[in-house]
């Protein structure tokens, strides 16, 4: 492994990156607003699982393809953006569940939050580029561990740190959802707010330059 000083620098940089409000935190908060705390946490778990796809890809060198083939990057980015917009629109089209406790989300909904979030993260090429750009700064080719193993270890640590930030965003959103939990109209407002955030994130991803 790299020297202890390098590891400390890595941890500081990873925490700073993770806790600067970004798309993942907004996405997690949007899911919590629309699906309640449990749905938000399942979304965080989905993002976390999807993150390992990028970690493994970085370790295998696959993410370099996005640099080498700009068309592939653009296709994946637009697919991810379209999926985010579709998810946002689905919250607007969702019918209110009159008579049901607003935050008592069915298991099916929380499972969907998990599956959708895995797909969202896997289809986000920005995450792949981040791992490829960030991790090599702390890789030591002369260390006893091979480079691919260092990628896996540091990538896993990065994923865990970012997940902690996403959980924090869900817990912050929970304070709002708990206050409005008994109102069906408020529930619809939160679902639409979550949908609007997802649509905005999709548009931002689609229009953002690589």
């Amino acid at each position: 492994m790299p020297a202890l000083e390098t590891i400390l620098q890595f941890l500081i940089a990873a925490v700073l990156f993770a806790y600067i409000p970004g798309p993942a935190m907004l996405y997690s908060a949007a899911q919590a607003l629309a699906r309640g705390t449990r749905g938000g946490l399942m979304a965080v778990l989905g993002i976390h699982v999807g993150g390992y796809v990028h970690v493994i890809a970085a370790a295998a060198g696959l993410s370099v393809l996005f640099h080498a083939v700009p068309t592939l990057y653009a296709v994946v980015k637009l697919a991810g953006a379209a999926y985010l917009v579709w998810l946002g629109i689905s919250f607007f089209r969702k019918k209110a569940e009159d008579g049901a406790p607003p935050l008592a989300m069915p298991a099916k909904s929380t499972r969907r939050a998990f599956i959708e979030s895995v797909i969202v993260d896997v289809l986000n090429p920005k995450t792949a580029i981040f791992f490829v750009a960030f991790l090599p700064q702390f890789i030591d080719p002369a260390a006893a561990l091979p480079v691919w193993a260092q990628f896996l270890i540091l990538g896993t640590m990065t994923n865990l740190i970012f997940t902690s930030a996403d959980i924090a965003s869900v817990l912050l959103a929970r304070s709002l959802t708990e206050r409005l939990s008994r109102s069906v109209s408020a529930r619809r407002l939160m679902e639409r707010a979550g949908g609007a955030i997802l649509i905005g994130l999709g548009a931002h991803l689609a229009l953002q330059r690589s």
Side-chain angles (χ1 to χ4, degrees):
M1 284 295 290
L4 178 59
E5 181 181 353
T6 302
I7 294 295
L8 291 176
Q9 291 173 350
F10 159 76
L11 290 174
I12 292 171
V15 170
L16 288 175
F17 274 117
Y19 281 84
I20 294 174
M25 293 181 73
L26 285 174
Y27 175 84
S28 301
Q31 289 285 352
L33 287 174
R35 286 182 161 129
T37 303
R38 184 178 176 187
L41 291 175
M42 289 299 288
V44 170
L45 180 60
I47 293 173
H48 183 76
V49 171
Y52 287 117
V53 174
H54 295 293
V55 172
I56 294 171
L62 298 178
S63 297
V64 179
L65 284 173
F66 285 130
H67 284 294
V69 187
T71 301
L72 176 62
Y73 175 89
V75 169
V76 174
K77 183 181 74 168
L78 291 176
Y83 190 67
L84 277 170
V85 171
W86 179 80
L87 288 180
I89 292 174
S90 70
F91 284 136
F92 279 92
R93 299 178 61 186
K94 185 178 179 181
K95 295 180 180 180
E97 299 175 1
D98 296 328
L103 294 183
M105 301 302 293
K108 181 179 178 180
S109 181
T110 54
R111 284 198 300 270
R112 284 186 60 186
F114 170 77
I115 295 171
E116 291 170 356
S117 300
V118 172
I119 296 172
V120 164
D121 200 66
V122 170
L123 289 178
N124 185 0
K126 291 290 183 181
T127 304
I129 295 299
F130 171 80
F131 279 112
V132 171
F134 179 67
L135 295 182
Q137 302 176 54
F138 307 98
I139 298 293
D140 183 4
L145 283 176
V147 169
W148 66 265
Q150 294 181 59
F151 261 106
L152 286 178
I153 294 171
L154 295 180
T156 297
M157 293 169 65
T158 302
N159 204 23
L160 289 169
I161 292 170
F162 272 77
T163 296
S164 71
D166 295 340
I167 291 173
S169 69
V170 170
L171 296 180
L172 287 174
R174 181 178 66 177
S175 61
L176 175 60
T177 58
E178 285 180 344
R179 293 175 187 175
L180 303 175
S181 61
R182 297 186 179 278
S183 170
V184 174
S185 60
R187 176 69 192 181
R188 291 297 298 136
L189 178 62
M190 288 189 293
E191 288 177 344
R192 289 170 179 170
I197 293 173
L198 295 183
I199 292 172
L201 287 173
H204 176 73
L205 178 60
L207 298 176
Q208 191 176 35
R209 294 183 179 180
S210 56

